[in-house]
Amino acid sequence: ETADVLEKMSRMGLIVRKGDRIRLTERGESQGRTIVRRYRLARRLLHDVFEVGEDAAHETACAFEHILSPEVTDTVCTFLGHPPTDPKGRAIPPGDCCRRFTREIRPLVLPLRDLDPGERARIVFLLPGSPSRMGRLGNLGLLPGSVIRLVQKAPSYVIEIGETTLALEEAIAGEIFVKKTGA
């Protein structure tokens, strides 16, 4: 069965076979990026918006990757605020919508610094500028799923997380992506 799949991929111009070696063609790499992008965006949507569990999210995202049109994929990406990673931290290949992205449509997921004082939000993902910062943020309780409230924006960003109040630099506030909770 694997040999049949490889033969079909070769006929479609997706791979080149030389002996035991197989490499993707430019077309194969492009289609692979597209499928990975649809799958990872579907995972982000299912995890962040619908709060679907790990097993169901994987199974459903596998189905989505085969049925989402390019237009729907770009719409999901824009809706989510052009996320750079999926819930497991794996990169989401950017699409044309990411390159055209403007702030005309307010995305569902946005940087913490885009909240207004008094608003509550759930942390969706962190995109720290350095690997060591991720651990420090986690130690402060700033983890995906944590609910925060923005107290002030100037002279520094002040947030409440549970019974703790933290002051953050603007750069760090821009690395924390949230979804407003409404309450």
Side-chain angles (χ1 to χ4, degrees), residues 4-55:
D4 293 339
V5 170
L6 292 175
E7 182 58 37
K8 183 177 179 181
M9 289 177 73
S10 181
R11 282 194 313 270
M12 294 172 66
L14 301 175
I15 62 170
V16 174
R17 297 170 71 180
K18 289 186 180 177
D20 291 344
R21 300 185 64 102
I22 300 170
R23 80 170 170 78
L24 290 170
T25 62
E26 189 174 317
R27 180 175 175 219
E29 282 191 39
S30 176
Q31 284 195 10
R33 269 191 307 278
T34 300
I35 290 169
V36 166
R37 180 169 190 266
R38 287 192 305 246
Y39 172 80
R40 291 181 180 170
L41 282 169
R43 287 295 298 260
R44 178 64 64 197
L45 178 69
L46 294 164
H47 179 270
D48 297 349
V49 178
F50 301 118
E51 299 177 356
V52 173
E54 179 70 25
D55 292 339

Side-chain angles (χ1 to χ4, degrees), residues 78-160:
T78 299
F79 175 73
L80 294 172
H82 306 280
T85 61
D86 74 357
K88 291 190 171 210
R90 298 172 299 199
I92 297 174
D96 290 337
C97 67
C98 301
R99 291 181 271 283
R100 298 187 308 262
F101 177 58
T102 65
R103 288 288 188 165
E104 293 174 13
I105 298 174
R106 188 122 175 127
L108 176 68
V109 177
L110 59 151
L112 165 65
R113 65 179 176 213
D114 288 356
L115 289 179
D116 292 324
E119 288 186 305
R120 291 187 164 297
R122 181 176 311 280
I123 297 174
V124 176
F125 61 89
L126 304 163
L127 194 60
S130 69
S132 63
R133 190 176 294 160
M134 179 67 106
R136 289 193 309 268
L137 293 173
N139 289 338
L140 294 171
L142 296 172
L143 300 166
S146 299
V147 175
I148 56 140
R149 185 176 79 83
L150 182 64
V151 176
Q152 72 180 42
K153 289 180 148 184
S156 62
Y157 285 77
V158 176
I159 62 168
E160 292 176 347

Side-chain angles (χ1 to χ4, degrees), residues 62-75:
C62 283
F64 275 23
E65 78 185 38
H66 298 286
I67 61 171
L68 291 180
S69 69
E71 296 80 14
V72 172
T73 301
D74 283 352
T75 300

